[in-house]
Amino acid sequence: MRVTRERVADEYEWVRGRADVVVPLLNDVRADLGDLFDTTVDEVSADDYRREVDAVFADGDRAVNVAAMVAVLRELDVEGDYPGFVVDELLGRQLAGTLAGNQPLRLLAEATFHYADVTVHADDARETAGADDLDAALAAGFQTRLPGWDWTETESPFAVDQ
């Protein structure tokens, strides 16, 4: 696989165009986690998602890595799937973390990926083994980096004044 500026732009368009699949999954994950943690989490619109995709791909260093992982997951298939499940899980987790950014958001996105992954499955037998992991990674990464969680809306009480 060769990653060029054109390939990054193509993957950007593909991810941006995936809003109809990713946004409902992202909002389902937010609602489920909100229930689990007894909090209300704001829903994300397709426009919110697209703006955040724009922000991710505006950072060239992040964009090339995201594009490469997206491209691999889009094409990744392992005969019999199970023997190769580790690689699609690893790539999905890394993609979610890369989308989310620095710690602690990175770790939260990686953990959320595993939750999202068990809720999404490729519907079509023609889809690759990596397809459901890709959707789960996009949902986990973007839901983590987008606002809507109360704890991310305020300053941390643990900052040390100097």
Side-chain angles (χ1 to χ4, degrees):
M1 177 174 70
R2 181 163 167 74
V3 180
T4 62
R5 290 180 60 144
E6 293 76 22
R7 182 68 184 259
V8 172
D10 289 346
E11 298 305 334
Y12 158 75
E13 291 295 338
W14 187 89
V15 171
R16 201 168 194 281
R18 198 82 179 139
D20 62 328
V21 172
V22 174
V23 172
L25 175 59
L26 181 158
N27 283 323
D28 287 348
V29 167
R30 279 185 161 211
D32 288 352
L33 293 176
D35 289 345
L36 288 170
F37 295 111
D38 195 31
T39 189
T40 302
V41 187
D42 297 342
E43 283 199 351
V44 171
S45 71
D47 287 339
D48 295 331
Y49 169 80
R50 288 186 197 102
R51 273 191 299 276
E52 212 58 32
V53 170
D54 294 349
V56 164
F57 279 88
D59 175 352
D61 292 341
R62 185 181 314 263
V64 69
N65 288 285
V66 166
M69 286 185 273
V70 167
V72 170
L73 281 166
R74 285 179 64 191
E75 297 179 21
L76 181 65
D77 209 11
V78 176
E79 187 175 345
D81 189 26
Y82 184 77
F85 86 95
V86 171
V87 71
D88 54 6
E89 296 293 313
L90 178 65
L91 286 169
R93 191 179 95 193
Q94 290 299 311
L95 175 57
T98 302
L99 291 168
N102 295 327
Q103 298 295 4
L105 296 179
R106 179 179 184 87
L107 180 62
L108 290 171
E110 289 177 11
T112 303
F113 162 75
H114 292 291
Y115 180 85
D117 190 34
V118 299
T119 67
V120 64
H121 301 285
D123 293 332
D124 190 323
R126 292 174 289 142
E127 288 200 53
T128 65
D132 56 345
D133 298 280
L134 176 52
D135 287 338
L138 293 172
F142 283 110
Q143 90 76 31
T144 302
R145 71 178 284 132
L146 281 159
W149 290 89
D150 288 344
W151 72 271
T152 63
E153 304 300 319
T154 59
E155 291 294 320
S156 173
F158 300 102
V160 176
D161 291 329
Q162 297 185 20

